[in-house]
Structure formats: structure tokens, C-alpha cells
mmCIF file of all heavy atoms in Angstrom:
data_model
loop_
_atom_site.group_PDB
_atom_site.id
_atom_site.type_symbol
_atom_site.label_atom_id
_atom_site.label_comp_id
_atom_site.label_asym_id
_atom_site.label_seq_id
_atom_site.Cartn_x
_atom_site.Cartn_y
_atom_site.Cartn_z
ATOM 1 N N LYS A 153 -56.580 22.739 -24.715
ATOM 2 C CA LYS A 153 -55.187 23.020 -24.953
ATOM 3 C C LYS A 153 -54.640 21.909 -25.796
ATOM 4 O O LYS A 153 -54.552 20.689 -25.504
ATOM 5 C CB LYS A 153 -54.555 22.867 -23.589
ATOM 6 C CG LYS A 153 -54.973 23.824 -22.394
ATOM 7 C CD LYS A 153 -54.171 25.126 -22.577
ATOM 8 C CE LYS A 153 -54.444 25.964 -21.384
ATOM 9 N NZ LYS A 153 -53.224 26.280 -20.568
ATOM 10 N N TYR A 154 -54.419 22.415 -27.008
ATOM 11 C CA TYR A 154 -53.903 21.529 -28.042
ATOM 12 C C TYR A 154 -52.462 21.224 -27.883
ATOM 13 O O TYR A 154 -51.563 22.081 -27.632
ATOM 14 C CB TYR A 154 -53.975 22.084 -29.442
ATOM 15 C CG TYR A 154 -55.458 22.238 -29.929
ATOM 16 C CD1 TYR A 154 -56.289 23.241 -29.467
ATOM 17 C CD2 TYR A 154 -56.044 21.331 -30.777
ATOM 18 C CE1 TYR A 154 -57.654 23.346 -29.899
ATOM 19 C CE2 TYR A 154 -57.366 21.342 -31.118
ATOM 20 C CZ TYR A 154 -58.208 22.378 -30.762
ATOM 21 O OH TYR A 154 -59.464 22.599 -31.136
ATOM 22 N N ILE A 155 -52.033 19.940 -28.078
ATOM 23 C CA ILE A 155 -50.579 19.432 -28.046
ATOM 24 C C ILE A 155 -49.867 20.096 -29.242
ATOM 25 O O ILE A 155 -48.774 20.677 -29.151
ATOM 26 C CB ILE A 155 -50.378 17.948 -28.042
ATOM 27 C CG1 ILE A 155 -51.181 17.285 -26.735
ATOM 28 C CG2 ILE A 155 -48.949 17.669 -27.900
ATOM 29 C CD1 ILE A 155 -50.883 17.867 -25.485
ATOM 30 N N LYS A 156 -50.505 19.941 -30.435
ATOM 31 C CA LYS A 156 -50.035 20.625 -31.622
ATOM 32 C C LYS A 156 -50.715 21.986 -31.834
ATOM 33 O O LYS A 156 -51.889 21.888 -32.239
ATOM 34 C CB LYS A 156 -50.092 19.718 -32.805
ATOM 35 C CG LYS A 156 -49.160 18.471 -32.633
ATOM 36 C CD LYS A 156 -49.301 17.793 -33.999
ATOM 37 C CE LYS A 156 -48.482 16.517 -34.036
ATOM 38 N NZ LYS A 156 -48.656 15.777 -35.226
ATOM 39 N N GLU A 157 -50.033 23.013 -31.532
ATOM 40 C CA GLU A 157 -50.722 24.409 -31.486
ATOM 41 C C GLU A 157 -51.475 24.685 -32.890
ATOM 42 O O GLU A 157 -52.449 25.215 -32.811
ATOM 43 C CB GLU A 157 -49.630 25.437 -31.289
ATOM 44 C CG GLU A 157 -50.213 26.821 -30.943
ATOM 45 C CD GLU A 157 -49.187 27.893 -30.532
ATOM 46 O OE1 GLU A 157 -48.073 27.739 -31.035
ATOM 47 O OE2 GLU A 157 -49.550 28.650 -29.779
ATOM 48 N N GLU A 158 -50.930 24.265 -33.958
ATOM 49 C CA GLU A 158 -51.495 24.623 -35.278
ATOM 50 C C GLU A 158 -52.905 24.002 -35.407
ATOM 51 O O GLU A 158 -53.673 24.353 -36.263
ATOM 52 C CB GLU A 158 -50.597 24.224 -36.413
ATOM 53 C CG GLU A 158 -50.348 22.771 -36.695
ATOM 54 C CD GLU A 158 -49.295 22.158 -35.698
ATOM 55 O OE1 GLU A 158 -48.610 22.857 -34.927
ATOM 56 O OE2 GLU A 158 -48.961 20.996 -35.893
ATOM 57 N N GLN A 159 -53.173 23.000 -34.586
ATOM 58 C CA GLN A 159 -54.510 22.229 -34.739
ATOM 59 C C GLN A 159 -55.565 23.071 -34.295
ATOM 60 O O GLN A 159 -56.747 22.862 -34.351
ATOM 61 C CB GLN A 159 -54.492 20.911 -34.143
ATOM 62 C CG GLN A 159 -53.632 19.949 -34.874
ATOM 63 C CD GLN A 159 -53.775 18.490 -34.344
ATOM 64 O OE1 GLN A 159 -53.966 18.269 -33.148
ATOM 65 N NE2 GLN A 159 -53.529 17.582 -35.186
ATOM 66 N N VAL A 160 -55.243 24.203 -33.540
ATOM 67 C CA VAL A 160 -56.400 25.248 -33.206
ATOM 68 C C VAL A 160 -57.048 25.602 -34.460
ATOM 69 O O VAL A 160 -58.318 25.889 -34.523
ATOM 70 C CB VAL A 160 -55.704 26.448 -32.479
ATOM 71 C CG1 VAL A 160 -56.754 27.544 -32.294
ATOM 72 C CG2 VAL A 160 -55.132 25.903 -31.109
ATOM 73 N N VAL A 161 -56.271 25.704 -35.539
ATOM 74 C CA VAL A 161 -56.817 26.238 -36.796
ATOM 75 C C VAL A 161 -56.927 25.232 -37.960
ATOM 76 O O VAL A 161 -57.908 24.987 -38.621
ATOM 77 C CB VAL A 161 -56.196 27.457 -37.335
ATOM 78 C CG1 VAL A 161 -56.640 28.025 -38.668
ATOM 79 C CG2 VAL A 161 -55.998 28.532 -36.304
ATOM 80 N N TYR A 162 -55.817 24.466 -37.995
ATOM 81 C CA TYR A 162 -55.648 23.572 -39.194
ATOM 82 C C TYR A 162 -55.622 22.065 -38.612
ATOM 83 O O TYR A 162 -55.026 21.708 -37.716
ATOM 84 C CB TYR A 162 -54.349 23.766 -39.898
ATOM 85 C CG TYR A 162 -54.221 25.092 -40.451
ATOM 86 C CD1 TYR A 162 -53.380 26.114 -39.754
ATOM 87 C CD2 TYR A 162 -55.046 25.608 -41.512
ATOM 88 C CE1 TYR A 162 -53.386 27.441 -40.164
ATOM 89 C CE2 TYR A 162 -54.912 26.969 -41.930
ATOM 90 C CZ TYR A 162 -54.011 27.785 -41.235
ATOM 91 O OH TYR A 162 -54.038 29.052 -41.664
ATOM 92 N N ARG A 163 -56.457 21.219 -39.345
ATOM 93 C CA ARG A 163 -56.559 19.749 -39.041
ATOM 94 C C ARG A 163 -55.726 19.075 -40.200
ATOM 95 O O ARG A 163 -56.433 18.679 -41.188
ATOM 96 C CB ARG A 163 -58.010 19.281 -38.955
ATOM 97 C CG ARG A 163 -58.919 20.056 -38.087
ATOM 98 C CD ARG A 163 -58.663 19.470 -36.599
ATOM 99 N NE ARG A 163 -59.759 19.961 -35.775
ATOM 100 C CZ ARG A 163 -59.862 21.187 -35.085
ATOM 101 N NH1 ARG A 163 -58.914 21.987 -35.241
ATOM 102 N NH2 ARG A 163 -60.828 21.453 -34.411
ATOM 103 N N THR A 164 -54.535 18.875 -40.002
ATOM 104 C CA THR A 164 -53.768 18.296 -41.142
ATOM 105 C C THR A 164 -53.281 16.894 -40.852
ATOM 106 O O THR A 164 -52.940 16.059 -41.606
ATOM 107 C CB THR A 164 -52.555 19.215 -41.552
ATOM 108 O OG1 THR A 164 -51.760 19.329 -40.319
ATOM 109 C CG2 THR A 164 -52.906 20.473 -42.090
ATOM 110 N N ASP A 165 -53.269 16.611 -39.477
ATOM 111 C CA ASP A 165 -52.819 15.315 -39.003
ATOM 112 C C ASP A 165 -54.035 14.462 -38.706
ATOM 113 O O ASP A 165 -55.039 14.895 -38.155
ATOM 114 C CB ASP A 165 -51.959 15.622 -37.716
ATOM 115 C CG ASP A 165 -51.257 14.328 -37.252
ATOM 116 O OD1 ASP A 165 -51.405 13.247 -37.801
ATOM 117 O OD2 ASP A 165 -50.323 14.618 -36.316
ATOM 118 N N GLN A 166 -53.932 13.137 -39.034
ATOM 119 C CA GLN A 166 -54.952 12.250 -38.789
ATOM 120 C C GLN A 166 -55.101 11.877 -37.344
ATOM 121 O O GLN A 166 -55.754 10.949 -36.954
ATOM 122 C CB GLN A 166 -54.916 10.993 -39.650
ATOM 123 C CG GLN A 166 -55.149 11.284 -41.158
ATOM 124 C CD GLN A 166 -55.111 10.221 -41.908
ATOM 125 O OE1 GLN A 166 -54.632 10.207 -43.057
ATOM 126 N NE2 GLN A 166 -55.649 9.021 -41.637
ATOM 127 N N ARG A 167 -54.362 12.552 -36.455
ATOM 128 C CA ARG A 167 -54.500 12.456 -35.062
ATOM 129 C C ARG A 167 -54.499 13.778 -34.337
ATOM 130 O O ARG A 167 -53.809 14.579 -34.654
ATOM 131 C CB ARG A 167 -53.185 11.701 -34.589
ATOM 132 C CG ARG A 167 -53.163 11.404 -33.086
ATOM 133 C CD ARG A 167 -51.875 10.614 -32.621
ATOM 134 N NE ARG A 167 -52.019 10.081 -31.363
ATOM 135 C CZ ARG A 167 -51.118 9.286 -30.705
ATOM 136 N NH1 ARG A 167 -50.100 8.942 -31.497
ATOM 137 N NH2 ARG A 167 -51.383 9.034 -29.509
ATOM 138 N N GLN A 168 -55.421 13.787 -33.437
ATOM 139 C CA GLN A 168 -55.585 14.960 -32.683
ATOM 140 C C GLN A 168 -55.423 14.681 -31.080
ATOM 141 O O GLN A 168 -56.015 13.768 -30.684
ATOM 142 C CB GLN A 168 -56.915 15.666 -32.884
ATOM 143 C CG GLN A 168 -57.073 16.240 -34.210
ATOM 144 C CD GLN A 168 -58.414 17.064 -34.205
ATOM 145 O OE1 GLN A 168 -58.453 18.272 -33.987
ATOM 146 N NE2 GLN A 168 -59.310 16.541 -34.852
ATOM 147 N N THR A 169 -54.615 15.416 -30.392
ATOM 148 C CA THR A 169 -54.271 15.121 -29.068
ATOM 149 C C THR A 169 -54.587 16.538 -28.421
ATOM 150 O O THR A 169 -53.764 17.542 -28.713
ATOM 151 C CB THR A 169 -52.817 14.575 -28.735
ATOM 152 O OG1 THR A 169 -52.742 13.466 -29.574
ATOM 153 C CG2 THR A 169 -52.724 14.169 -27.334
ATOM 154 N N LEU A 170 -55.255 16.595 -27.268
ATOM 155 C CA LEU A 170 -55.488 17.829 -26.652
ATOM 156 C C LEU A 170 -55.964 17.507 -25.205
ATOM 157 O O LEU A 170 -56.472 16.422 -24.951
ATOM 158 C CB LEU A 170 -56.533 18.727 -27.350
ATOM 159 C CG LEU A 170 -57.920 18.289 -27.596
ATOM 160 C CD1 LEU A 170 -58.771 19.460 -27.689
ATOM 161 C CD2 LEU A 170 -57.965 17.523 -28.952
ATOM 162 N N TRP A 171 -55.837 18.496 -24.403
ATOM 163 C CA TRP A 171 -56.295 18.417 -23.014
ATOM 164 C C TRP A 171 -57.721 19.090 -22.938
ATOM 165 O O TRP A 171 -57.842 20.136 -23.719
ATOM 166 C CB TRP A 171 -55.450 19.149 -22.051
ATOM 167 C CG TRP A 171 -54.150 18.507 -21.745
ATOM 168 C CD1 TRP A 171 -53.028 18.732 -22.319
ATOM 169 C CD2 TRP A 171 -53.921 17.470 -20.840
ATOM 170 N NE1 TRP A 171 -51.904 17.894 -21.849
ATOM 171 C CE2 TRP A 171 -52.530 17.134 -21.019
ATOM 172 C CE3 TRP A 171 -54.691 16.742 -19.880
ATOM 173 C CZ2 TRP A 171 -51.965 16.103 -20.116
ATOM 174 C CZ3 TRP A 171 -54.084 15.710 -19.102
ATOM 175 C CH2 TRP A 171 -52.775 15.453 -19.227
ATOM 176 N N LEU A 172 -58.648 18.537 -22.265
ATOM 177 C CA LEU A 172 -60.030 19.005 -22.288
ATOM 178 C C LEU A 172 -60.472 19.070 -20.835
ATOM 179 O O LEU A 172 -60.204 18.178 -19.965
ATOM 180 C CB LEU A 172 -60.993 18.248 -22.976
ATOM 181 C CG LEU A 172 -60.865 17.960 -24.486
ATOM 182 C CD1 LEU A 172 -61.685 16.870 -24.906
ATOM 183 C CD2 LEU A 172 -61.116 19.121 -25.205
ATOM 184 N N LYS A 173 -61.493 20.027 -20.692
ATOM 185 C CA LYS A 173 -62.151 20.064 -19.296
ATOM 186 C C LYS A 173 -63.365 21.048 -19.593
ATOM 187 O O LYS A 173 -63.218 21.994 -20.372
ATOM 188 C CB LYS A 173 -61.375 20.505 -18.105
ATOM 189 C CG LYS A 173 -60.904 21.867 -18.080
ATOM 190 C CD LYS A 173 -60.147 22.053 -16.697
ATOM 191 C CE LYS A 173 -59.717 23.503 -16.580
ATOM 192 N NZ LYS A 173 -59.222 23.769 -15.384
ATOM 193 N N VAL A 174 -64.322 21.053 -18.731
ATOM 194 C CA VAL A 174 -65.488 21.974 -18.995
ATOM 195 C C VAL A 174 -65.007 23.264 -18.258
ATOM 196 O O VAL A 174 -64.118 23.232 -17.471
ATOM 197 C CB VAL A 174 -66.778 21.453 -18.307
ATOM 198 C CG1 VAL A 174 -67.341 20.374 -18.915
ATOM 199 C CG2 VAL A 174 -66.597 21.472 -16.715
ATOM 200 N N LYS A 175 -65.586 24.300 -18.884
ATOM 201 C CA LYS A 175 -65.185 25.752 -18.326
ATOM 202 C C LYS A 175 -65.830 25.696 -16.838
ATOM 203 O O LYS A 175 -66.948 25.320 -16.662
ATOM 204 C CB LYS A 175 -65.927 26.769 -19.174
ATOM 205 C CG LYS A 175 -65.164 26.929 -20.373
ATOM 206 C CD LYS A 175 -65.743 28.126 -21.230
ATOM 207 C CE LYS A 175 -64.926 28.253 -22.604
ATOM 208 N NZ LYS A 175 -65.581 29.209 -23.375
ATOM 209 N N GLY A 176 -65.109 26.367 -15.929
ATOM 210 C CA GLY A 176 -65.621 26.475 -14.615
ATOM 211 C C GLY A 176 -65.495 25.190 -13.718
ATOM 212 O O GLY A 176 -64.780 24.255 -14.001
#
């Protein structure tokens, strides 16, 4: 789950922040 939704497709910021967990 990306904090900045556009980072799903575009990596324009030198910082990426997202929530992660394994499936299931």
C-alpha cells in the first residue's frame, strides 16, 4: 500500500514509503 499512490507506476521521488506484508 503506497503512501503516494502515483508511485505504483512512477518513481519520481527519491523517497518511497509504503506498507508491506506477505500475502496471506
Side-chain angles (χ1 to χ4, degrees):
K153 298 270 189 119
Y154 290 82
I155 303 304
K156 292 183 178 179
E157 188 176 38
E158 67 274 6
Q159 288 186 335
V160 171
V161 180
Y162 303 105
R163 307 278 196 272
T164 57
D165 194 343
Q166 288 183 224
R167 181 176 190 173
Q168 291 189 79
T169 307
L170 59 151
W171 290 96
L172 296 172
K173 69 177 182 174
V174 297
K175 287 181 180 174

